[in-house]
Amino acid sequence: MMVSTMEPENVLVFGSMPKTQMIQSSHLVCSNFSRLTNASVFYSSSPLTLMLPLLLLQLSLGSAAILVTFYLLRPFGLPLMLAQVLGGVLLGPSLLCRIPGLLNMIFPIRSFLLMDVVSTMGFMFYFFLVGVQTDIWLLKKITKKSFAIGFFSVAVPMILTLGMSLLWMQFNVNPNEKKKVDSLPEIAKAESLVSFQIVSYYLSELRVINSEIGRVALCSSMVSTLCSTCVVTSNILWNQSKDDLSRFFQSICYGIIFASLVCCILGPLLLWEMKHTLGGQPLKQGNLVVLFIAVLMSGFWGHSFGLNIYFGPLLFGLIIPSGPPLGSALVEKLDVITNWVLMPLFFVKFGLAVDIFALSLKTYFKVQFFALLGAFGKFLGASLCALSCQMPQRDAIVLGFFMTFQGVIELDLFRLMKRKQIIGDEALSAMCLTALIGSGVVALVVPCFYDPSKRYEGYYGRTLAHSRHNSELRVLVCIHEEQNVPSAINVLATLKPTKQSPIAVYMLHMVELMGSATPLLMRQKRPKKLSTRTRGSAPIIDAFKIFEENHDGLVSVSPFISVSPPQTMHEDVFQIALEKGTSLVIIPFYKKFHVGGAVYMNKRSLKIANQNVLDQAPCSVAILVDRGTLKTLHAIWAGWSSSEVAVIFLGGADDQEALALAAKMTGCQNINLTLIRIIYDGDFPDKYMEGIRNDNESLGQFQTNISGNTCAKYWEEVAKDGPGTASVLRTLENQYDIIVVGRRHYDTFPLLSGLTESNENKELGVIGDMLASSDFLGNTTILVVQQHTDNSHSE
C-alpha cells in the first residue's frame, strides 16, 4: 500500500508554486497554496480539496479516535498513553483506512506538510513538558542501590540483545535478508533502552508512585535514562558523521555549546526575569507568551546547531523548576492543548506508517524475539540487582516489570530509525505492535500482582479507645492549605497535654502534585531552606512551631511535606502513621461551608485522598469540617481561652472513639465539655445488644472519669426516630465551638430512620453531614471520628 512508504519528513512541498503539480518522485509533492479555505459544499466543491479544512478534519478525527479508545480501555485500567498509540494505529491502514478510497480522501499525500508541521510543534511542546515535569534534583537522591538497579536495567538487556543479534548475523546465509539482518543490532539497542518519563507516567497511572518501590523505580529509571541517552546520542551522532571521527566530536562540541548557552545564559536570564516579574503572583498571560516563544526559539536554535529539533525544548524545560509556581502553571496551561489537540496528529501520523496487515509473520516473530529478550533483560537486571540489595522478592519482581514499560519516547525513536532507513516498514510495525502489547500486558498484570495497601493487612491499628491512659498521644495532622491551620490547631489545643501524657504532633502538609513527575515526602527541619515546590509550607510550619513553643515542652511538632497526586496522597499518610505509631489522623474535609451551611469551596480532587484515608488508614481517623469565614493564623490564640465542646453519642464503635477523644479534653480547665447521649425510645432488636453493652461500658468509664469535674457535663435526650434525632441536634444552635461525632452507627438504626436518604456527604456519616450542612450552628467546627476496627489492637 502507498501508506507503507509514506514518511512526512521525506515529503518536500513547494508552497510557492501557483498550480498543483505532481513530480514523478517518491520524495517530492507539489501543492497549490493560492487558496486555503475558499470551498463549500453548497457550491459543488469539497472542503477536503483544500488544506486547512482537511487539517481540521484530521485533528478532529485524531482526537476523537483517541477519546473513544480511551473510554473503551478505561474499564481495564489501561492508561491514556496506550489509548493514544492504539487510536492512531486504528485510524491508519491497520483498520479505518483500509476502507477503499478513505485513505486518499482524508490523508492524501499533499496534506503531509501541515500534518508534519503541526505534529512536530505538538511534539516540541510535549518534550518541553517532559523537561518541566522532570525534577533534576532527583539525581541527589540516587543511592548505590538505585544506581546499580538502573545501570543493570540497561546493561543486561544490551548485552543479551546485542550478543544475540551479532550471533544471528554470523549464521545468516540468505543474501536476500542481509539488509534486514544488518538492522538487528540497532533494533537490539532500541529495545534495551529505558525512559524515566515513561516509567514515572505508568507509576502514576498505576497509583504506586508514592510507594517505597515506586520511589526506587523513579531513581533507578533516572539512572537508566542517563545511560540510554548516552547510547542513543552517541549512536545518532556517529551515524550522522558517517563514521568520520572528527565530525563526530564536532557534533558533540556543538551540542555542548548549545547546552551551555541554554543552561548558563538564556535560561537563567529568562527565569530571573520571570522571578522579578511574577513576585510570587500567578503566571500572567504576557509571561506565558514569552515562555512559549522561548520554547519555539529553543527548537529553532537547536536545529540550527545541527541537533534534533526536540533537544532544545527538552533542555529548556529541564532548567525550569518543576512544581509550583512556574512548573505547575505551565503544565496546567499546556497539558490539554498538547495532549488532546496537537499530539493526536503525531499519533495519527505514526499510525499511518504502521500497517499490521502488511507485516509478515517471520519479521514479526523476529522483532518480537528481540523485544522479549530486551524486556527479559531489563526485568532480569532490575530484579536480580534488587534481590541482591535485600529487597523483598515480590517487590523485586514488580520493580523488574516497571522497568520494561515503553511509550511515546520509544515510538519516536522507532520513527527516527525508520526515517534514517535503519529499519524498514515491517520492522516499524512490528516494534510498535510489540511495545503496545507488552506495555498493555504489564499494566494489566502489575495491579493483580502488587497492591501497596496489602502491606497494612497484618498491622493491628492503634485507636484512642484502646490506648493507655497515661501515655504519649501521637496525632498525625494533615493540612491541605493555609486556611486549614486555625481549626486544626484549635482542635489540638483542646487536647490538654501533661507530663504523664504529652502530645506528639506530626504535621503533614499535603501539596497536590502538578508540573512534576516526581513525588516528594520529606521531613522539614529548617523552614527557611524550602525549595520552590515547598515554599508555601513555610507559614504553616511556623504556625505549628509557635503552637509547640507555647506549651513548654509538653507538645512536640514534627513537620512533613508531601507533594503527590491526590490518588496516592494516602500512601504518605499511611507511611508516617505506621512509622510513628499514631493513634489518630486528622484530615480536613474537602468542602468548605458558609455559616449558613452552603458550600463555597469544593476541591473534588482532594475527595479521593479523603476517601482513601478513611478506607485504608492503619489507625483512627477524624475529619475536620471548617465552617464559617476564613480565619487568619492570629485567630489561633485569640478568643480560645474558654471553649465549648459537645460530644454527640448515639452508639457504635465510632461514637466510642469520639468519647475516647473527648476524654482527652476533660483535663483542660479552659474546656467546657458536654456529652449528649440520644437514647432510643423503644426496644432494641437482639442484634444490637452486644453493641449496647459496649456503649454502656464506655459511657460508665467516661462518667467515672469526669466525676467531680465542674467543666464536664452529661445529659440524655430521648428520640423515637430520625426526625426526633434531628430535633435534638437543632437544640445545639450556636452553643458550641467544636462538636465531636462518630461517623458510622448501627445498621438500620431506628434513631437514623428517614435521615440516611438525605446524606449527601457519605464521608461524614449521617449525623456529621447534617451538622456540617446545617444553618443553625454558626461557625462551629465539626469533628467526625472513625475508629479503626480489627480483631486486636496494639497498646
Side-chain angles (χ1 to χ4, degrees):
M1 294 182 66
M2 179 174 61
V3 169
S4 63
T5 59
M6 288 184 181
E7 192 56 41
E9 286 80 1
N10 293 335
V11 179
L12 304 179
V13 181
F14 296 90
S16 59
M17 298 186 66
K19 299 285 186 179
T20 300
Q21 300 177 8
M22 295 298 297
I23 298 178
Q24 300 300 318
S25 170
S26 61
H27 301 288
L28 299 179
V29 175
C30 301
S31 184
N32 182 7
F33 276 82
S34 60
R35 297 186 306 159
L36 287 177
T37 59
N38 190 18
S40 170
V41 293
F42 299 105
Y43 293 96
S44 301
S45 59
S46 173
L48 299 183
T49 59
L50 301 179
M51 301 189 70
L52 185 56
L54 186 59
L55 176 66
L56 297 179
L57 178 63
Q58 292 167 347
L59 286 169
S60 302
L61 282 176
S63 299
I66 292 173
L67 186 63
V68 172
T69 309
F70 173 65
Y71 279 112
L72 291 176
L73 296 181
R74 189 166 65 171
F76 302 99
L78 295 176
L80 172 63
M81 187 174 293
L82 290 176
Q84 289 175 320
V85 179
L86 185 60
V89 171
L90 295 180
L91 202 59
S94 297
L95 183 66
L96 188 64
C97 283
R98 297 198 69 81
I99 300 175
L102 191 63
L103 176 64
N104 291 328
M105 181 176 68
I106 300 180
F107 301 106
I109 196 169
R110 58 183 170 81
S111 69
F112 271 34
L113 171 68
L114 289 183
M115 282 184 65
D116 192 37
V117 170
V118 174
S119 63
T120 301
M121 287 187 62
F123 213 54
M124 282 176 60
F125 279 103
Y126 175 80
F127 267 95
F128 173 67
L129 288 179
V130 167
V132 171
Q133 293 176 300
T134 302
D135 185 7
I136 59 175
W137 298 111
L138 187 65
L139 294 172
K140 296 175 63 176
K141 299 181 181 180
I142 294 176
T143 61
K144 292 181 180 179
K145 178 175 75 172
S146 56
F147 180 84
I149 295 172
F151 175 77
F152 285 106
S153 295
V154 175
V156 173
M158 194 74 70
I159 293 172
L160 289 177
T161 54
L162 276 178
M164 182 58 68
S165 64
L166 294 175
L167 191 64
W168 199 303
M169 292 173 64
Q170 290 294 326
F171 289 94
N172 178 53
V173 295
N174 189 349
N176 297 328
E177 294 188 357
K178 185 178 185 304
K179 185 176 181 180
K180 292 183 179 180
V181 173
D182 289 344
S183 66
L184 290 180
E186 301 302 326
I187 295 176
K189 294 177 187 177
E191 295 292 350
S192 303
L193 305 180
V194 178
S195 170
F196 166 79
Q197 181 63 24
I198 302 303
V199 172
S200 64
Y201 172 82
Y202 278 98
L203 289 175
S204 180
E205 289 292 320
L206 296 174
R207 301 183 181 182
V208 295
I209 196 169
N210 279 41
S211 62
E212 182 180 354
I213 187 175
R215 291 187 170 90
V216 174
L218 282 177
C219 292
S220 302
S221 63
M222 178 68 80
V223 176
S224 300
T225 300
L226 293 176
C227 298
S228 301
T229 302
C230 293
V231 173
V232 172
T233 303
S234 59
N235 195 43
I236 292 175
L237 293 180
W238 182 255
N239 289 332
Q240 287 180 349
S241 62
K242 298 180 180 179
D243 300 339
D244 188 341
L245 192 61
S246 60
R247 290 184 61 183
F248 175 74
F249 283 107
Q250 185 179 15
S251 300
I252 293 178
C253 291
Y254 286 157
I256 294 174
I257 293 172
F258 176 74
S260 301
L261 288 174
V262 174
C263 296
C264 301
I265 300 176
L266 299 179
L269 281 175
L270 184 60
L271 295 178
W272 179 85
E273 177 64 24
M274 287 290 171
K275 182 179 179 181
H276 285 74
T277 304
L278 293 176
Q281 300 299 318
L283 195 65
K284 298 178 182 178
Q285 185 175 1
N287 305 123
L288 193 65
V289 173
V290 170
L291 287 172
F292 287 172
I293 294 174
V295 174
L296 298 176
M297 292 305 298
S298 64
F300 170 76
W301 287 112
H303 201 62
S304 300
F305 273 78
L307 304 172
N308 192 291
I309 197 170
Y310 306 131
F311 180 70
L314 174 64
L315 193 63
F316 181 61
L318 285 172
I319 66 174
I320 293 179
S322 61
L326 190 55
S328 299
L330 287 172
V331 172
E332 184 179 3
K333 299 288 185 182
L334 285 173
D335 185 65
V336 174
I337 190 72
T338 300
N339 286 314
W340 287 102
V341 178
L342 299 177
M343 281 297 288
L345 206 56
F346 168 82
F347 292 107
V348 169
K349 190 183 73 169
F350 184 85
L352 289 174
V354 176
D355 186 1
I356 61 175
F357 293 99
L359 178 63
S360 66
L361 288 178
K362 184 177 181 180
T363 303
Y364 172 74
F365 285 120
K366 185 185 298 182
V367 173
Q368 179 75 12
F369 171 75
F370 280 95
L372 289 176
L373 190 62
F376 176 72
K378 297 175 189 177
F379 175 84
L380 196 66
S383 301
L384 292 181
C385 193
L387 286 172
S388 66
C389 296
Q390 309 303 316
M391 182 177 287
Q393 182 178 0
R394 180 179 289 268
D395 290 357
I397 293 174
V398 172
L399 178 62
F401 280 127
F402 286 157
M403 303 303 284
T404 64
F405 281 122
Q406 292 182 314
V408 180
I409 306 297
E410 287 79 8
L411 293 182
D412 186 60
L413 177 62
F414 301 160
R415 183 188 61 85
L416 180 63
M417 294 169 64
K418 165 67 171 61
R419 182 161 64 92
K420 297 293 184 181
Q421 298 183 351
I422 298 174
I423 61 175
D425 301 326
E426 290 188 60
L428 176 66
S429 300
M431 294 171 77
C432 171
L433 194 60
T434 300
L436 193 62
I437 295 175
S439 297
V441 170
V442 174
L444 288 172
V445 169
V446 167
C448 302
F449 195 75
Y450 178 74
D451 183 4
S453 63
K454 288 187 177 181
R455 61 176 172 161
Y456 313 122
E457 288 182 352
Y459 177 80
Y460 297 119
R462 299 175 66 94
T463 66
L464 295 171
H466 297 84
S467 61
R468 292 174 180 173
H469 180 62
N470 290 324
S471 62
E472 183 183 49
L473 174 61
R474 300 182 181 183
V475 182
L476 173 58
V477 181
C478 302
I479 302 294
H480 290 315
E481 55 191 2
E482 196 172 321
Q483 287 79 7
N484 302 142
V485 175
S487 297
I489 295 187
N490 290 339
V491 170
L492 292 175
T494 63
L495 304 174
K496 181 63 176 177
T498 62
K499 291 183 178 180
Q500 293 77 23
S501 181
I503 300 178
V505 178
Y506 303 96
M507 191 282 296
L508 177 63
H509 184 204
M510 303 168 70
V511 182
E512 185 174 354
L513 180 65
M514 289 186 63
S516 175
T518 309
L520 173 70
L521 176 62
M522 58 182 296
R523 179 170 181 175
Q524 191 62 50
K525 296 182 179 180
R526 298 179 179 178
K528 294 182 180 180
K529 293 187 177 182
L530 294 172
S531 66
T532 55
R533 284 206 284 173
T534 58
R535 196 167 293 160
S537 304
I540 297 174
I541 296 175
D542 291 340
F544 276 87
K545 283 297 183 181
I546 295 174
F547 173 72
E548 177 187 28
E549 294 169 0
N550 287 350
H551 283 80
D552 302 324
L554 299 179
V555 174
S556 63
V557 174
S558 302
F560 292 82
I561 300 174
S562 167
V563 183
S564 57
Q567 294 85 353
T568 57
M569 277 183 178
H570 61 285
E571 291 289 340
D572 292 335
V573 176
F574 299 163
Q575 181 176 339
I576 297 176
L578 287 172
E579 290 180 356
K580 304 303 179 182
T582 59
S583 299
L584 181 68
V585 173
I586 299 177
I587 56 174
F589 192 47
Y590 69 95
K591 291 182 181 180
K592 292 188 179 299
F593 297 89
H594 280 296
V595 175
V599 177
Y600 72 90
M601 188 179 295
N602 188 353
K603 292 193 173 183
R604 301 290 297 180
S605 60
L606 298 178
K607 180 180 180 180
I608 302 172
N610 283 17
Q611 191 61 55
N612 287 333
V613 172
L614 286 171
D615 292 342
Q616 306 174 37
C619 62
S620 296
V621 179
I623 301 179
L624 184 62
V625 183
D626 190 10
R627 291 167 48 92
T629 57
L630 296 176
K631 308 166 188 175
T632 64
L633 295 184
H634 298 289
I636 300 169
W637 302 281
W640 280 88
S641 57
S642 179
S643 301
E644 300 290 334
V645 180
V647 182
I648 310 299
F649 191 96
L650 278 74
D654 290 353
D655 279 7
Q656 295 169 24
E657 190 72 1
L659 199 61
L661 179 62
K664 302 288 184 180
M665 304 176 182
T666 55
C668 184
Q669 296 180 353
N670 297 328
I671 304 298
N672 297 319
L673 179 67
T674 302
L675 172 60
I676 305 170
R677 183 184 186 186
I678 303 178
I679 301 175
Y680 175 56
D681 186 12
D683 296 328
F684 279 107
D686 293 339
K687 63 179 181 178
Y688 297 134
M689 298 313 297
E690 183 178 355
I692 296 297
R693 282 195 295 270
N694 293 333
D695 293 339
N696 291 332
E697 289 178 6
S698 300
L699 287 168
Q701 183 64 41
F702 180 81
Q703 288 176 303
T704 302
N705 293 337
I706 66 172
S707 60
N709 188 343
T710 58
C711 295
K713 297 181 292 184
Y714 169 78
W715 82 63
E716 298 178 349
E717 296 285 350
V718 179
K720 293 183 178 181
D721 49 19
T725 302
S727 299
V728 173
L729 296 179
R730 284 194 167 272
T731 62
L732 309 179
E733 182 175 359
N734 293 328
Q735 295 184 38
Y736 300 99
D737 300 304
I738 299 177
I739 296 180
V740 185
V741 299
R743 176 174 177 256
R744 299 164 299 187
H745 300 89
Y746 301 119
D747 294 335
T748 63
F749 199 34
L751 289 174
L752 301 179
S753 61
L755 300 179
T756 55
E757 293 79 5
S758 58
N759 184 11
E760 296 182 0
N761 303 299
K762 304 296 183 182
E763 302 90 344
L764 301 180
V766 177
I767 302 299
D769 178 50
M770 183 182 302
L771 295 175
S773 57
S774 65
D775 58 356
F776 56 84
L777 287 180
N779 59 356
T780 301
T781 297
I782 312 298
L783 198 63
V784 182
V785 181
Q786 173 183 287
Q787 184 183 66
H788 181 276
T789 56
D790 48 34
N791 297 328
S792 179
H793 302 273
S794 61
E795 290 291 322

